[in-house]
Amino acid sequence: MKKLLLLTLLFTLSGCSYFTSEPESVTTPNQETQTESQSEEVAQEATESTPANDTFDNVFNETVIGQDRYPATTLPDSIPISDLRVAIDEFYTEAMPEDEKEMNYDKIDPETIETLQETFSENEVYEPLDITADQISLELDSKTNYIARIVIGMPYEEAEDLIEEHDILVLNEALSQLENRLVLLAHYDEEADTLTPYHLNNSTTSIFSLADSEGETASDSE
């Protein structure tokens, strides 16, 4: 439960920060009231200007290649998809080495996906997780990237109860077969009929990571 959401990338890459240190100043009660009122107005305007998550078809604007047995990816409203997409694209564009980007420009051989699926279906270590392997495409840095998608057929917490640090185990297996391609790991909640992305990374760079941390955020853990 130690993975952290990388939404802070958006503010780092844009040169902005919510945590700046400024000299203390003395304010009167009237000034404090006015400042609080202005802050509330700014927060309200920011909220109103951010498109709701349900206005997006899915999280990463991805397209599933072939048949898809799962619903579109979603995130809680507390994680604005519009901001996340900008953050991910900026981070990928500026931080991902060119040779690593090029790994994702060609489609993954269907036989490679089949082999990966056989590993997850037949290996007794992974069998309890009900894993499905397929392929998606999505735009990053104005280019089409082909990415392996690994769907675990239960919520994150249930999978973690079965196998501690299951996500790391599954990602390591996928990456060992896919060289250094990007892999998207998601969890399917059958009861809620939702598909939640938890990781998007290759073996050296994490573009997105969201794991249940019981309400903990990056700032809470520091």
Side-chain angles (χ1 to χ4, degrees):
M1 308 294 184
K2 59 184 179 298
K3 275 67 73 178
L4 305 174
L5 177 65
L6 299 183
L7 279 176
T8 49
L9 290 171
L10 175 61
F11 309 114
T12 301
L13 292 171
S14 61
C16 301
S17 175
Y18 281 132
F19 307 99
T20 56
S21 177
E22 298 180 354
E24 295 183 0
S25 60
V26 178
T27 58
T28 66
N30 286 340
Q31 289 175 321
E32 290 178 353
T33 301
Q34 183 178 6
T35 300
E36 290 176 0
S37 177
Q38 291 173 339
S39 298
E40 291 174 358
E41 290 177 2
V42 170
Q44 182 177 359
E45 289 176 359
T47 301
E48 292 176 349
S49 64
T50 301
N53 281 0
D54 61 10
T55 62
F56 295 91
D57 291 335
N58 52 42
V59 174
F60 304 110
N61 197 27
E62 70 270 20
T63 300
V64 178
I65 298 175
Q67 292 185 331
D68 188 9
R69 56 179 285 198
Y70 298 104
T73 50
T74 59
L75 284 172
D77 289 336
S78 58
I79 307 171
I81 291 176
S82 59
D83 293 346
L84 181 64
R85 286 185 179 183
V86 173
I88 287 175
D89 193 68
E90 289 186 356
F91 181 77
Y92 175 90
T93 300
E94 298 183 19
M96 181 75 76
E98 287 299 323
D99 60 332
E100 294 185 19
K101 293 180 182 178
E102 292 173 359
M103 294 289 295
N104 306 296
Y105 293 163
D106 295 326
K107 285 185 178 181
I108 304 172
D109 190 326
E111 291 186 3
T112 300
I113 296 294
E114 289 178 9
T115 300
L116 187 60
Q117 180 65 66
E118 288 176 1
T119 299
F120 290 135
S121 298
E122 299 174 5
N123 189 310
E124 62 181 10
V125 174
Y126 307 110
E127 188 176 0
L129 297 176
D130 187 22
I131 296 174
T132 299
D134 55 21
Q135 183 172 183
I136 62 172
S137 65
L138 59 86
E139 294 293 314
L140 291 170
D141 193 18
S142 301
K143 294 182 177 64
T144 300
N145 289 253
Y146 296 94
I147 296 169
R149 184 180 72 163
I150 311 298
V151 178
I152 296 176
M154 64 193 68
Y156 182 94
E157 297 85 354
E158 291 185 20
E160 192 66 11
D161 287 341
L162 290 174
I163 304 174
E164 187 176 359
E165 295 188 341
H166 69 280
D167 48 349
I168 296 175
L169 182 68
V170 171
L171 281 171
N172 283 341
E173 179 62 52
L175 290 167
S176 71
Q177 298 190 33
L178 295 167
E179 298 181 349
N180 202 26
R181 278 183 172 271
L182 284 171
V183 174
L184 173 66
L185 179 69
H187 282 265
Y188 176 58
D189 185 334
E190 184 176 8
E191 182 177 351
D193 194 30
T194 57
L195 183 64
T196 304
Y198 272 79
H199 298 283
L200 177 59
N201 61 272
N202 61 15
S203 60
T204 57
T205 306
S206 176
I207 296 178
F208 170 80
S209 180
L210 169 66
D212 180 78
S213 53
E214 299 178 345
E216 183 182 60
T217 63
S219 59
D220 292 331
S221 64
E222 292 175 354

